[in-house]
Amino acid sequence: MRVVPSRSSEWVNPVTSQRPASAIIEIDRVSQVFQTSARKDHLALSDISLTIEEGAFVSILGPSGCGKSTLLYIVGGFVNPTSGVARMKGQTITGPGPDRGPVFQEFALFPWKTVLGNVMYGLRQQGVPATEAGAQSQALIEMVGLKGYENFYPKELSGGMKQRVALARTLAYHPEVLLMDEPFGALDAHTRTRLQNDLLNIWERDRKTVLFVTHSVDEAVFLSDKVVMMSKSPGRIRQVIDIDLPRPRRRSELLLDPRYQKYVVDIERMFDEVDETGSPS
Amino acid sequence: MTSLGAAVRRAAPVFACIGLLAVWQVASLALKNDSFPTAIEAIRAIPDILGDKESLINILASLRRMAIGFSVAVLVSIPLGLLMGRSRAVAAFFNPFLMVIYPVPKAALMPIIMLWLGVGDITKTLVIFLGVSLPVIYHSFEGAQAVEEKMLWSGAAMGLSPLQRLVRIVLPAALPEILTGCRTGLVLALITMITSEMIARQSGAGNILFNALDMGQYDTVFAMIIIVGAMGICLDAIFERVRARLVRWSEPQFDMPLSFS
């Protein structure tokens, strides 16, 4: 392991501090140590550096325990890295903010609010008047296909519908980056495919930057411009694969495309390798 | 058929009351004991108590102390419990105190409190306050602890400050659990109210009861028990109505059959 200065916020990497014009997120030599017990430290992330370009759909793929969600939480500002630094548009990330909108596997909806109340929440927080926020939220609810469910409570919705609400709730306050943490992981296969299609349709309209954590190879290939393959113990970036497939992507066409199939087969093989061997140290 | 079943279920508490009174009546007639009046005799004594100005003032004084003790306890306990549930430091500070106070019967503290604060309203209200606080703190604490971290993160990403997250996310998310604590607290308020009046006999519903006992007016004793019991049932029913309205969003949506039905 490389020695990383502990006072990470004051430390500037001479190479990466000159940020490319299109870079929106820079992860700069980030390491994360979790204390599992008084004596044992667990190195969840080891010296991760990654640049994400504006408007890119980037998936972080890896076996469970590789720290891929932790990396997303660091970008979200929910977790502070042990060393290294994450930047958003050149600014060091010190906490959560409305420029980075999370969507979690657990949905994390506000159960005491209706669908409309959930979607409006962020806008109201930003001081948008109720009628204006209501109109914008209504449009988003229609976009995610939940027209007619405005006054339902989360408990009355299926898992897929809850995740649609969660996506609309986050899109509502116009974050520049979407941080999606295995968003379709808790859904059944059919619902999952439908939400992937809908997410792509929505994304292809305004091409927001998306950081998408998943452990599904075909989900990563189908959605992304770039797949970041991680290995575990300690969590490291194994390889970054550009997915050079045309957009807009249609599932029916893509599944028959030999290039898509090759990406899936190659990445699956790599996944098997990292899952068996872990990170070379 | 189902509507008949529903009607029977709704009327069940009434049947239970009638059943209990009937058993009482039969038992009393069978035992023929002076200190055990029949149900009908006890019920006949109720209008006398409620018609007496002195008794009414006493009962209202009891209710006032109970209302003040309960309200202050709830207002203090909910924020404290929520803070304890979300901050390890706050929990670590208060937990030892609560662990010590929790198992002590609050009425047992009365002699000391009486010594310091006299036998008046303050002492009795303080005992009610102590009785109500602990279950409300405990349930608020449990409720706040159970709030999903990701829900708070979602709020933080929207720009909610830590205090806003506590008031606008932790409080509503923990509300079902908090209200469960308040319901227990309400019953405990009634219990501590009567107990405090038994110990510091100066005024109140408990005072009427024990004065009547001293004077051997057993029908009044039993009538007071019915009045206090009815007060408890009414307060609990009203509270349950309010609670159900406030947490409609969290109630299970289907009526699942119970395992043993």
Side-chain angles (χ1 to χ4, degrees), chain A residues 200-218:
Chain A
L200 261 198
N201 286 336
I202 291 166
W203 180 78
E204 274 161 2
R205 284 183 217 176
D206 60 355
R207 303 241 170 174
K208 235 179 235 308
T209 312
V210 179
L211 197 54
F212 191 100
V213 166
T214 180
H215 54 241
S216 156
V217 174
D218 36 286

Side-chain angles (χ1 to χ4, degrees), chain A residues 73 78-79 96-98 100 102 104 106 108-112 121-122 125-126 153 155-156 169 173 181, chain B residues 148 150-161 164 168-170 172-173 248-253:
Chain A
Y73 301 157
F78 308 121
V79 171
R100 287 152 288 137
F104 298 108
E106 303 89 337
L109 295 172
F110 303 136
W112 62 94
Y121 206 92
Q125 175 64 24
Q126 287 172 359
Y153 285 100
K155 64 155 189 193
E156 298 167 311
R169 179 180 70 170
Y173 54 89
D181 179 24
Chain B
E148 234 185 304
K150 306 278 164 73
M151 209 192 277
L152 293 164
W153 286 4
S154 298
M158 290 175 189
L160 274 80
S161 67
Q164 283 177 320
R168 289 175 51 192
I169 296 180
V170 178
R248 232 178 348 181
W249 52 267
S250 76
E251 302 293 298
Q253 68 179 302

Side-chain angles (χ1 to χ4, degrees), chain A residues 36 66 69 85 98 103 177 180 245 264:
Chain A
T36 45
C66 73
S69 290
V85 60
V103 177
V177 180
M180 308 188 79
L245 291 170
V264 172

Side-chain angles (χ1 to χ4, degrees), chain B residues 97-145:
Chain B
F97 294 106
L98 296 176
M99 275 167 67
V100 171
I101 302 170
Y102 185 64
V104 177
K106 305 312 161 278
L109 299 173
M110 268 208 71
I112 311 168
I113 302 171
M114 276 162 65
L115 207 61
W116 292 340
L117 300 174
V119 290
D121 274 5
I122 299 173
T123 299
K124 289 172 196 151
T125 313
L126 185 63
V127 175
I128 295 169
F129 168 85
L130 288 173
V132 176
S133 294
L134 286 150
V136 179
I137 291 173
Y138 176 73
H139 282 275
S140 305
F141 170 73
E142 290 277 303
Q145 253 192 340

Side-chain angles (χ1 to χ4, degrees), chain A residues 174-189:
Chain A
H174 308 294
E176 290 175 64
V177 180
L178 271 182
L179 303 173
M180 308 188 79
D181 179 24
E182 299 192 44
F184 309 142
L187 308 177
D188 65 81

Side-chain angles (χ1 to χ4, degrees), chain A residues 106-122:
Chain A
E106 303 89 337
F107 320 126
L109 295 172
F110 303 136
W112 62 94
K113 290 270 177 196
T114 60
V115 168
L116 184 65
N118 267 283
V119 178
M120 278 173 69
Y121 206 92

